[in-house]
Amino acid sequence: MTIASGETNVVTLQTQRLSRAQNEADMKQRLGQLSSSLQLIFDLSQTHFKGSIQTLFDHIDDSLFELADRAESNLEQNIFFESMREIRIHRRDMEQIFLCNIAIHFVNVLTSRSGDVSSDFQDRDSLDIDDLSLVGHEDLEELVAIDSLVKKSWLKNKSAIVVLTARINSVVPLNLSERNNPLTPRSLADSFVDAASVLSIDIKAKLVLFKLFDRHVIQELPSVFKFVDQALTDQGIAAAVLPRRLQ
């Protein structure tokens, strides 16, 4: 019997929903295995990022409409309008993917043991000249934009990341490195880039999206580290001894 294409699409969507529900249930179970202190950090950061990612998408229409209004041709204007439509369609999926990716970082990294992570931070995503020759122009623009915001945020938040990492290591049996902390700019940027991969939009629009991600998510990291630190203190988790390089 031949199945109509509409019926096939329904089956595919139902399968996707079942798969997503199963993955979410599995993730919830794995998150439940985190220690109380890590669960606290996850809950606080997840609540914050849920709000900040929504704020990002609340502003994207205005930003793209402004660019469309200044466009020099109907073609360029249409690019921004089509990008607005595409982002609206995929907004909910992107929000869920981003938050799920953060959860995955917590589960995969914070449940690791000392042998699974490196002990020193190195910027693994610094652009390699040899690799760039294999990258297309638009992909290169995306890489440069993400690399720039990550490096800038790392320099601004390095001390806070090191302190939080040391604090985590003082209460759980991990030898977690700053590089593998799930709240680093790189971890968050990777999570968002993956979420944005569902989009088929012009690079100009995507760069606007990344700019808003930087403004509403990455640049808010100091606040995240501050209230996480305070919450740990309120829970009676003493501040960790700083690594020698920060003393």
Side-chain angles (χ1 to χ4, degrees):
M1 180 179 68
T2 302
I3 300 177
S5 59
E7 294 178 11
T8 303
N9 290 337
V10 171
V11 172
T12 300
L13 289 173
Q14 289 175 341
T15 302
Q16 290 175 344
R17 292 191 187 102
L18 288 172
S19 177
R20 177 179 295 175
Q22 183 176 1
N23 290 337
E24 289 178 353
D26 179 61
M27 181 60 64
K28 185 176 182 180
Q29 181 180 14
R30 296 174 68 188
L31 286 169
Q33 298 172 1
L34 296 176
S35 67
S36 59
S37 58
L38 298 185
Q39 186 70 55
L40 174 65
I41 296 171
F42 171 75
D43 289 343
L44 289 171
S45 60
Q46 192 81 340
T47 298
H48 174 84
F49 292 130
K50 183 177 181 180
S52 61
I53 202 68
Q54 289 175 346
T55 301
L56 182 163
F57 284 110
D58 288 343
H59 285 80
I60 188 65
D61 271 12
D62 288 342
S63 296
L64 291 178
F65 187 85
E66 183 179 345
L67 290 174
D69 192 49
R70 300 202 311 260
E72 298 180 355
S73 67
N74 290 336
L75 177 61
E76 185 179 15
Q77 187 177 67
N78 189 57
I79 286 175
F80 292 121
F81 285 140
E82 286 297 318
S83 297
M84 288 169 59
R85 178 179 177 275
E86 177 85 357
I87 292 172
R88 286 174 183 172
I89 291 173
H90 293 288
R91 170 176 175 165
R92 184 176 179 183
D93 284 340
M94 291 179 63
E95 290 176 348
Q96 291 178 340
I97 292 170
F98 174 66
L99 295 174
C100 182
N101 284 343
I102 295 175
I104 290 171
H105 278 297
F106 270 87
V107 168
N108 289 349
V109 176
L110 294 183
T111 57
S112 298
R113 292 299 177 261
S114 59
D116 298 324
V117 294
S118 59
S119 58
D120 296 311
F121 176 87
Q122 294 179 352
D123 190 358
R124 64 174 176 83
D125 289 322
S126 295
L127 298 181
D128 190 304
I129 299 299
D130 293 333
D131 293 337
L132 294 185
S133 62
L134 304 175
V135 177
H137 176 68
E138 291 193 357
D139 289 338
L140 177 58
E141 285 195 69
E142 180 177 322
L143 283 171
V144 170
I146 293 300
D147 191 71
S148 176
L149 70 87
V150 165
K151 285 184 175 179
K152 183 165 54 177
S153 182
W154 169 255
L155 291 175
K156 181 177 181 179
N157 296 290
K158 182 177 180 179
S159 295
I161 294 170
V162 171
V163 169
L164 177 59
T165 304
R167 204 164 191 178
I168 292 172
N169 285 329
S170 72
V171 295
V172 293
L174 295 172
N175 184 21
L176 184 69
S177 70
E178 296 87 38
R179 170 179 171 176
N180 289 282
N181 188 314
L183 296 182
T184 62
R186 174 58 63 188
S187 294
L188 297 174
D190 285 348
S191 295
F192 187 72
V193 169
D194 179 59
S197 66
V198 302
L199 298 173
S200 297
I201 60 176
D202 187 85
I203 185 61
K204 293 179 182 178
K206 186 169 281 190
L207 292 179
V208 172
L209 189 64
F210 291 154
K211 183 177 181 180
L212 290 176
F213 172 72
D214 183 29
R215 180 182 303 167
H216 295 291
V217 179
I218 295 298
Q219 291 184 28
E220 291 298 313
L221 273 177
S223 297
V224 176
F225 293 130
K226 184 176 181 179
F227 66 66
V228 166
D229 184 76
Q230 184 60 52
L232 291 174
T233 299
D234 292 343
Q235 290 291 318
I237 302 173
V241 176
L242 291 178
R244 289 184 177 180
R245 62 182 180 278
L246 290 183
Q247 292 178 346

